Amino acid sequence: MAMRFVFLISCVLLVGVTVEQTLTLSVNESRPLFSFYPMNILTNGTVVDKVNSFADLEQDLELGNQMKGKLCAKNYTSCMQNDPDYEASLSKVTGRLFANSPPFDLSTLDGVGEECRKDSRRFLDALRTFQMWALQMYDASAKVPSGFLSGNINQLGDFDLCMSSRSMEDRPIYGKYCLPSLQVETPHNAYLSAIHNRLYAHQVLKSKFEDPGHRVPKFSSVNWALCVPHTCTTRDVDIGFRNVVQQIFAGTDFEYKTEMDPQMCSSAKPETNVNYGFIYGTAFFVSVFLVAAAAGLYDYLNGDKPKNDWIMAFSLRRNLQSMLSIEKQANDLEAVHGIRFINALMLIFSHKSMALLFLPYTNRTAMSEIIGQPWTVIGRAASLYTDPFIMLSGTLTAYSLFGRLQKNIRINILEEYASRLFRIVPTLGALILFCTFVLPFIGSGPMWNLVITHHSHICKKNWWRNLMFIHNYFGFKDMCLTHTHHVGIDTQLFFTSPFMVLVLWKWPKKGAFTLATIALISTIMRYYVTYSMKLSNYIHFGTSIEQLFNTADYMYILPPHRLTVYIMGIFLGYLLRNCKNIILKPIQLQFGNVLAIISFVTSFIGPAFMGSINYIYDPVHAAWYASFAPILWCFSFAWIIFTHQNGYKSFISEMFAFRYFKLWTKISYTVYLTQFPIFFYNVGTLRHSEYYQFIPKNLNILELICIFGLSSLLTLLFETPFQNIKNIIFRKKRAPETAKKLS
C-alpha cells in the first residue's frame, strides 16, 4: 500500500515538472501553454485539484498531450525546436515507409536544372528531419493504391496539401503540383493484354498523347500526381518521372510513353503580376448587373407613368416578367417548345457523359462495363440531338418569312440579318469574355489548367472567329468555346434562308426540286465522307479521339453536311403556311403516325448495337447512321408539329405543346451556351477519385440548377435587353411599312 502511495506521489510530481517545462512552449509567443488546459488541472502552473486515483491521473496526462498537440499544430516550426524527442519515435517508422514509397528525388538526375537539384536536396534533408512542409509535399504526391484491376490507375494525390506547402527559410520553397502521364501500349501476350484491358477500363475511349485533351479526355493515359519544389520545371519533372517509370519496366517487354504537359503543373508561389483582365472583366459584369437593377428600380418607382424606352430595355423587373410569361402569341407553333426541351435535355445528358470521362474513378473498369451497354445510346447519340434545332431554325425562319410574304410585306434581308445578330452576338460575346478573363481565376484543381486555363488562352487568340461566325471552319482543336460550333452552323444557314424561301415562294415546283436536290447531295456527301474517311457521328464503344475530331472537322461542323435537315425545316415552314386547312383522312393520319414512330425508333434505337462493349467499328454502319438518322429523327418531330398545328392533336403532340415549355424556349439559347463552362468548372475543381454510379453522376441536380440559374441570368442581362434594343431601333421604321402594306 505504501509503495502504491509513493508511486502515485512520484507521478504527480512528474506531471508538475512536465507542466513547468511546457510553460515556456507556446505557439504564439504572447500566449502561454497553460492557458489552454481544460478543467482545473493547472492554475498559474500549479496543481489545484486533488488527484483521486491513478485513472484520473492517466486521463489528465492524456488531455495534456492532446492539448500540446493542438498547440503544436498552430506553429510546427517552433514546436520542433522545443521538442526534438519526436525524432526517435518517427525515424524507424518513416524509414520503413520511405523504403516502400520513396520520395520523388530530382537531386541526382542528369539533365535536371541546378535550382531544382538544390531545392530537391533541401526537400530531402527537411524530410529526414520531418519538417512539416516537406512532409506535406511528400504526402501530397500520389502513392500506389489498391484497385488497379478495377481501373483505379489515375491518382490525383492531394492538390491542396501540395499548394499549401511552404518552407520557412529566407529563400522559401513552395510546392508545385504536377500531373505527368503514362501510356502503356497493349502487350503482345494474350494474358497480359487481358490485364491491360482491365487496367485501362476496356479502352472505352482511345487516345494518344498527341490528341488535344482540353475538351475530350485522354482516356488512355495514366495520370500520377507529384509535388515538387517550385523551382523545378516541367522538363525536370519529366526527366524524374521517366526515370521512375524506366526502373519499373526495366527488363520487360512493355512498350510505354511518358508525357509532362506544361499546363498540367500548378505552382503555389504567389503571382506578383496584377491581372487586369480579371479586374476589368469582373467590373464589366458587375456594372451590367447594376445597370439592370437600376433600370428595374426606375421601372418600379415610375409605376404607370411614361418611361424611357432605352432605360426600360435593361429593366431587370420587366425582363423577368417577360421571361416568365407563358401567354400564347399569334402564329405560335406550340409543339416546338416541347421538342426543344426534350432534345436539349438529351443533349445536356450526352455532353455530361463525355465530361464524366475526364474524372478518375476507383471503379473505372466497372464504369466502362456499365456504359458499354446498348441502352446507353441515349448518351452516345449527341449529334442526333442537335439536328432538330437546325430543322426548327429553318422551320421558324421560313414560317415567319412566308407569313410576311402572304401579307405582301416586303422582306428586308439586311434587317433580318441585323435582327439575328442582335439576338445572339451580345450573349455570345459576354460568355467569351467571362470564360476568357474571369473563369480562369475563380477556381483551381489538378486539371484546372487543362480544361479551363488552356481554353481561355485559345479564346484570347481566336475569339474573333466566333463573333464572325466562321469558327467552325477552323477545326475543333483551336476553337474557342467548342460547343458553340452549332451557333456558327445555324447562323450561316440562316444567312441562306431568305434566298431559299424566295425561290420556293416564286417558283414552288422548281424551287422545291432545287432544294430537294441540294438536300440529296448533302446526304450523299455525308455518306461518302463518313465511309471514305472512316468517321463516326455516333460515339461507338472504343472510338478514338482522333476519329471524333476528324468527324467534327470534316463533316459534323460544316454547314453543307447539315443542309438536309435545314431544308426539311424550310419545307415544313412552307407547308404550315400553305396547308392550313388540309384535311387528312384517318388512314392518312394513321399511316403518318406509324411512319413517324418507325422513324423515331429506327434513328434512336437502331444504332444501339454500336454502343456495345464488344462492337468492332464498321464504316458502313457509321455512314448509314450519319446519312439517314438525322432525316428520320427530324421527320418524326416534323410530323408532330405539322399535325398538331393543323388540329390533329394527340397525346404526344399535346405533351409537347404543354404551355410551360415556353419558359424553356426563353432560355434555350443560353442553356446551350452555359452548360460546357459549368461541366468543365466541375472537372477542373475535382480533387480526388470518386466511385462511379450511373444515375448520381449523370443526373447531378445541383449542376442542372446551376445551368438553369446562370442561363436565366445571362438571358436577363444580355439576350433580352438587346432584343428590346432591336425592337426600339426597328419599330419606327417597320410600323409605317406594315400599315401601308396592310391597307
Side-chain angles (χ1 to χ4, degrees):
M1 184 71 178
M3 290 297 294
R4 292 179 61 185
F5 179 78
V6 171
F7 176 74
L8 182 60
I9 293 298
S10 300
C11 290
V12 172
L13 291 175
L14 179 61
V15 172
V17 171
T18 304
V19 168
E20 183 177 1
Q21 291 176 347
T22 57
L23 290 180
T24 59
L25 175 63
S26 62
V27 175
N28 187 327
E29 296 300 330
S30 63
R31 195 168 189 181
L33 180 65
F34 65 78
S35 65
F36 290 90
Y37 267 74
M39 301 181 291
N40 294 319
I41 296 177
L42 297 172
T43 301
N44 295 327
T46 60
V47 179
V48 298
D49 278 357
K50 182 179 179 180
V51 179
N52 296 318
S53 67
F54 184 72
D56 291 338
L57 178 60
E58 284 185 320
Q59 182 179 5
D60 292 343
L61 283 170
E62 183 180 354
L63 289 171
N65 290 333
Q66 289 178 0
M67 189 53 62
K68 284 191 293 183
K70 291 181 180 179
L71 290 172
C72 203
K74 296 178 182 294
N75 192 326
Y76 292 109
T77 302
S78 176
C79 194
M80 288 177 64
Q81 295 171 352
N82 289 277
D83 183 21
D85 294 338
Y86 70 90
E87 293 188 38
S89 299
L90 279 182
S91 59
K92 292 183 179 180
V93 175
T94 53
R96 293 160 185 161
L97 175 64
F98 294 160
N100 292 322
S101 298
F104 188 62
D105 183 8
L106 295 173
S107 63
T108 60
L109 297 179
D110 294 335
V112 175
E114 188 59 31
E115 288 294 316
C116 180
R117 284 171 178 266
K118 291 180 180 179
D119 288 343
S120 293
R121 281 193 289 269
R122 290 171 60 191
F123 158 67
L124 293 174
D125 292 340
L127 189 61
R128 292 188 187 98
T129 57
F130 316 113
Q131 294 183 37
M132 183 54 63
W133 69 271
L135 289 173
Q136 287 178 316
M137 288 180 60
Y138 171 76
D139 192 27
S141 294
K143 310 296 186 298
V144 177
S146 59
F148 269 13
L149 291 178
S150 296
N152 187 27
I153 57 176
N154 290 300
Q155 297 300 311
L156 301 183
D158 194 321
F159 178 84
D160 293 313
L161 192 63
C162 180
M163 297 296 283
S164 64
S165 61
R166 178 183 182 273
S167 67
M168 303 303 293
E169 294 94 343
D170 294 335
R171 191 176 72 84
I173 296 177
Y174 297 91
K176 184 174 185 178
Y177 179 94
C178 290
L179 202 62
S181 299
L182 165 69
Q183 186 166 312
V184 181
E185 302 299 328
T186 304
H188 300 294
N189 179 277
Y191 183 64
L192 291 179
S193 177
I195 295 176
H196 179 276
N197 198 41
R198 288 193 61 86
L199 293 175
Y200 279 85
H202 304 294
Q203 297 279 22
V204 63
L205 184 65
K206 297 176 182 177
S207 65
K208 300 179 295 185
F209 282 154
E210 297 76 19
D211 294 327
H214 62 288
R215 278 299 176 265
V216 181
K218 294 183 179 181
F219 195 83
S220 300
S221 298
V222 177
N223 297 315
W224 201 267
L226 296 171
C227 188
V228 299
H230 72 279
T231 52
C232 296
T233 65
T234 52
R235 180 177 177 274
D236 297 332
V237 177
D238 185 39
I239 292 172
F241 183 67
R242 196 182 313 124
N243 179 70
V244 172
V245 174
Q246 284 174 349
Q247 294 178 23
I248 294 173
F249 291 110
T252 70
D253 295 331
F254 288 102
E255 299 177 9
Y256 62 89
K257 296 179 182 178
T258 62
E259 180 187 54
M260 182 62 259
D261 191 338
Q263 64 192 358
M264 297 299 283
C265 283
S266 301
S267 177
K269 185 178 181 181
E271 292 286 343
T272 56
N273 298 328
V274 178
N275 192 289
Y276 292 103
F278 172 73
I279 295 173
Y280 295 148
T282 304
F284 170 76
F285 286 104
V286 171
S287 300
V288 170
F289 180 80
L290 292 177
V291 167
L297 183 62
Y298 165 83
D299 180 17
Y300 175 76
L301 294 177
N302 282 274
D304 296 330
K305 298 178 183 178
K307 303 165 190 173
N308 184 284
D309 288 341
W310 293 95
I311 297 177
M312 289 298 296
F314 293 92
S315 171
L316 195 60
R317 179 170 177 262
R318 190 180 77 167
N319 291 338
L320 181 61
Q321 292 173 346
S322 174
M323 190 180 76
L324 297 178
S325 174
I326 57 173
E327 294 181 3
K328 185 175 181 179
Q329 298 177 346
N331 298 320
D332 185 25
L333 302 180
E334 295 176 333
V336 164
H337 306 296
I339 292 172
R340 268 203 187 111
F341 176 76
I342 295 299
N343 282 276
L345 277 187
M346 297 174 81
L347 192 60
I348 289 174
F349 182 84
S350 297
H351 288 162
K352 174 64 177 177
S353 299
M354 182 60 71
L356 287 174
L357 294 181
F358 276 92
L359 309 183
Y361 298 105
T362 57
N363 62 331
R364 196 165 77 142
T365 301
M367 177 205 71
S368 296
E369 292 169 354
I370 291 173
I371 64 177
Q373 303 292 329
W375 58 266
T376 57
V377 62
I378 189 173
R380 296 181 177 278
S383 63
L384 199 64
Y385 308 141
T386 61
D387 290 310
F389 291 101
I390 294 178
M391 183 196 72
L392 292 177
S393 177
T395 300
L396 296 173
T397 300
Y399 187 71
S400 174
L401 295 180
F402 280 126
R404 289 160 63 182
L405 288 171
Q406 287 177 343
K407 296 177 181 179
N408 295 321
I409 298 176
R410 180 175 173 269
I411 297 177
N412 187 327
I413 295 180
L414 293 180
E415 185 177 314
E416 294 297 323
Y417 292 166
S419 176
R420 168 82 176 190
L421 296 178
F422 261 106
R423 177 175 179 261
I424 62 176
V425 170
T427 312
L428 178 61
L431 185 69
I432 293 174
L433 178 65
F434 178 79
C435 292
T436 304
F437 295 106
V438 179
L439 182 60
F441 302 97
I442 61 175
S444 63
M447 291 180 283
W448 183 264
N449 289 341
L450 175 66
V451 298
I452 299 294
T453 306
H454 175 68
H455 189 254
S456 74
H457 294 327
I458 293 176
C459 285
K460 286 179 182 178
K461 293 189 297 184
N462 301 327
W463 61 270
W464 58 273
R465 297 175 181 172
N466 296 64
L467 296 184
M468 292 184 66
F469 302 103
I470 58 173
H471 54 299
N472 53 309
Y473 286 104
F474 292 87
F476 253 32
K477 181 179 179 180
D478 297 317
M479 186 185 297
C480 172
L481 300 180
T482 50
H483 63 293
T484 62
H485 64 271
H486 176 79
V487 180
I489 295 170
D490 189 51
T491 302
Q492 293 160 29
L493 291 175
F494 173 81
F495 286 161
T496 67
S497 61
F499 304 102
M500 295 184 189
V501 168
L502 290 174
V503 167
L504 196 56
W505 173 258
K506 289 189 175 183
W507 306 283
K509 293 183 179 180
K510 292 182 179 180
F513 178 79
T514 301
L515 294 182
T517 302
I518 294 174
L520 178 61
I521 293 173
S522 177
T523 303
I524 294 173
M525 287 171 57
R526 288 198 305 278
Y527 186 98
Y528 175 76
V529 171
T530 301
Y531 180 82
S532 61
M533 298 189 68
K534 293 181 170 51
L535 309 179
S536 180
N537 248 7
Y538 185 84
I539 306 175
H540 63 84
F541 196 99
T543 188
S544 66
I545 293 180
E546 182 181 13
Q547 187 181 46
L548 290 178
F549 272 74
N550 286 339
T551 301
D553 295 346
Y554 296 108
M555 188 258 288
Y556 181 60
I557 62 176
L558 299 179
H561 293 278
R562 310 298 296 278
L563 261 173
T564 303
V565 293
Y566 194 80
I567 291 174
M568 288 176 63
I570 297 291
F571 279 129
L572 179 59
Y574 179 83
L575 293 175
L576 290 172
R577 284 296 185 183
N578 291 277
C579 300
K580 290 182 180 180
N581 301 317
I582 189 172
I583 298 176
L584 296 176
K585 297 178 180 180
I587 187 65
Q588 293 174 324
L589 189 62
Q590 291 175 7
F591 177 78
N593 290 338
V594 171
L595 190 60
I597 293 173
I598 293 175
S599 298
F600 181 90
V601 173
T602 302
S603 57
F604 186 58
I605 306 299
F609 70 95
M610 290 191 284
S612 170
I613 195 170
N614 298 314
Y615 177 72
I616 298 176
Y617 172 78
D618 187 333
V620 175
H621 298 158
W624 275 97
Y625 177 81
S627 303
F628 300 107
I631 298 173
L632 299 176
W633 182 254
C634 289
F635 172 77
S636 63
F637 294 113
W639 177 255
I640 292 172
I641 296 171
F642 179 77
T643 54
H644 184 86
Q645 198 67 17
N646 283 284
Y648 299 96
K649 300 179 180 180
S650 63
F651 170 76
I652 295 177
S653 70
E654 289 283 13
M655 181 184 66
F656 283 126
F658 182 54
R659 62 176 185 165
Y660 284 98
F661 282 140
K662 292 181 182 179
L663 297 175
W664 178 266
T665 295
K666 304 288 181 67
I667 63 171
S668 59
Y669 174 51
T670 51
V671 165
Y672 186 79
L673 294 180
T674 57
Q675 56 185 274
F676 263 50
I678 292 175
F679 289 154
F680 285 108
Y681 175 88
N682 291 333
V683 169
T685 55
L686 185 83
R687 256 87 168 154
H688 53 80
S689 300
E690 297 184 342
Y691 185 82
Y692 180 83
Q693 292 177 295
F694 184 81
I695 294 179
K697 290 299 178 186
N698 287 276
L699 191 62
N700 189 323
I701 301 300
L702 180 59
E703 198 170 54
L704 291 175
I705 292 173
C706 289
I707 291 173
F708 299 154
L710 290 178
S711 299
S712 300
L713 191 61
L714 199 60
T715 300
L716 292 171
L717 297 182
F718 293 97
E719 183 178 2
T720 306
F722 280 92
Q723 284 280 74
N724 296 335
I725 291 174
K726 177 206 71 175
N727 294 335
I728 294 171
I729 293 174
F730 294 132
R731 185 186 302 149
K732 294 182 180 180
K733 180 180 179 181
R734 185 179 297 168
E737 293 182 359
T738 304
K740 181 179 178 181
K741 294 294 182 181
L742 292 176
S743 63

